[in-house]
Amino acid sequence: MPLPGGELAKRELHFFWLTDCSGSMSINGKIQSLNNAIREAIPEMKKVAAENPNAELLVRALKFSDGAEWHIEDAVSVEDFSWEDLEADGVTDLGEALSLLAGKLDSAEMTNRGLPPVIVLVSDGQPTDDFESGLEELLSLPWGQKAVKIAIAIGDDADMDVLNKFIDNPELEPLKANNSEELTAYIKWASTEVVKSASTGSSEGAVEESDNVALPAQPQPHSDTDDDSDVDVF
Amino acid sequence: MFVQDEDKVKGIKDWIVTGASIKGANHGRRGLPNQDAIKWETENGNLVMAVSDGHGSLKHFRSEIGSKLAVKAAVEIMLEEVDVGNLTDDMLNKIKTRVKDKLPQRIVNQWRDKVKEHYQNNLFSLDRVAQAKLMKLEEEKGIAKRKKIEDNYIKAYGATLLIVLITEKFSLYFQLGDGNISILAEDGKKMLFAAEEQFGPATNSLCMSEASNKVKISLIPFSEELPLFILLSTDGYINSFRNDKDYFKVIDDFIDLAKHHGIEYINENLSQWLEKTSQQGSGDDITLGLVYNQNLFDEDYK
């Protein structure tokens, strides 16, 4: 006999890439390193998703430079997820990107039955638009507050203060990638270990302000890249 | 598991109860125990049922004990609270006020006392499992987090608590944290008691310092509203359904099952239904308590 109740469903886990495609990302192969890193992480991401059949991992991507637009607007199941290269040109309208993201987090697609979304912001510079307004819009939403927000800085020019504000969690810091190898490691960590933690659905007593998904330890940077000619230094 | 005839609650009509608690599919894969608990009892014509969900994250590593202590504390205090002899209509208002003002704190205190006793008999320093969990916590979150739990052991036992009490004059609902108390009223209305939209894993908990302030509690005289069916469930259940409509269908289905197959049939199958629900749904532990008003089964009842 059928089980009591209506249709059953896995819990959705929405994953968002928020990628900086400003002109500076074309310097020292940063944009191509990012494209490669995301592409390399896909098989591991699929593996992690397969290990938890009670979570449905759905991926979207948003890019920002002169304005912001969806790179992948409709959520794609991780099983069908592939990566088309981004190109770099223009300024860094991060505020607009956060506003666009907020619109999606506030939509009917994001029910409170889902697992906390994971948002990974990758940037190499400073916002050129009204970042604070975009951030305020994002953090005013329940899922904007409760999402697991990870920030990866590429090179020395990224604005760490802005990335910290985006993370909005005193226990987490932006990851700083100084070369393509570190970027790959961080992208992999965010798209596998963080996803793994967010998909357990384990509850927490709300005893501290920062209580949300318990995240794994952040990866440590590699430093022995001097002799490796395959590694782009940012 | 259901209440036998001689135990049935005396009141305007009898009540029938059953329930089950299962380990979630996800917990099975991760080698975790079932961290939920359920308990019900009848005494002097009163029925109390409590359901608790122990928090699953690492720092709450004794939550499967915390949830068991929670349902025990709830049943003890509730039965004590309503042990007032013959309940007259005049007494209802006084009880209503007392319940609102004192009951949450009494239940929280009873739970804390039980946790303290358990902890004193099972100190972290002498428990290899606790030591391993604390070590893992230190590795993942740093020594400060470990120390926080060692200094405030109560957090390790964190759990939610849902209670329903049925007397001959009223029903009482109590909710602390996530989970659902779903009620079918006499007029056919289906509702969630103290329904709150919750986003993310953080929930109110018995282990919070101001836990009693977070309790939602309501005493409803039968003269105002008579429940026909009450369903208590941990959040692993509602999170297994596509949407609210799919969840609320369980009320009709469990009533139909009871009418056409009987409570024994539900009792025999409930655990496996919940296991399948967890596998195809949230993966979380699921605990379900069902309280039927006997009126539902009377042919001439409208």
Side-chain angles (χ1 to χ4, degrees), chain A residues 146 201-213, chain B residues 52-57 59-60 63 155 158-162 175-180 196-211 214 216 234-235 239 284:
Chain A
K146 295 293 179 183
S202 294
S203 59
E204 290 259 345
V207 286
E208 292 165 38
E209 291 234 338
S210 61
D211 278 329
N212 196 14
V213 173
Chain B
S52 176
D53 181 352
H55 310 322
S57 73
K59 69 183 173 194
H60 304 293
S63 71
K155 285 184 185 171
T160 64
L161 183 58
L162 307 178
Q175 176 150 6
L176 176 60
D178 58 26
N180 297 99
E196 268 178 26
E197 273 213 309
Q198 186 188 317
F199 290 81
T203 173
N204 287 327
S205 167
L206 284 162
C207 72
M208 296 165 83
S209 54
E210 301 289 332
K214 306 288 182 187
K216 305 277 172 53
T234 52
D235 68 339
N239 285 336
D284 198 1

Side-chain angles (χ1 to χ4, degrees), chain B residues 80-84 93-104 106:
Chain B
E80 228 177 271
E81 185 73 21
V82 290
D83 187 16
V84 291
N93 276 341
K94 279 185 191 165
I95 292 178
K96 211 169 184 173
T97 309
R98 195 182 71 202
V99 153
K100 209 169 175 189
D101 293 347
K102 311 271 188 206
L103 193 62
R106 282 192 71 198

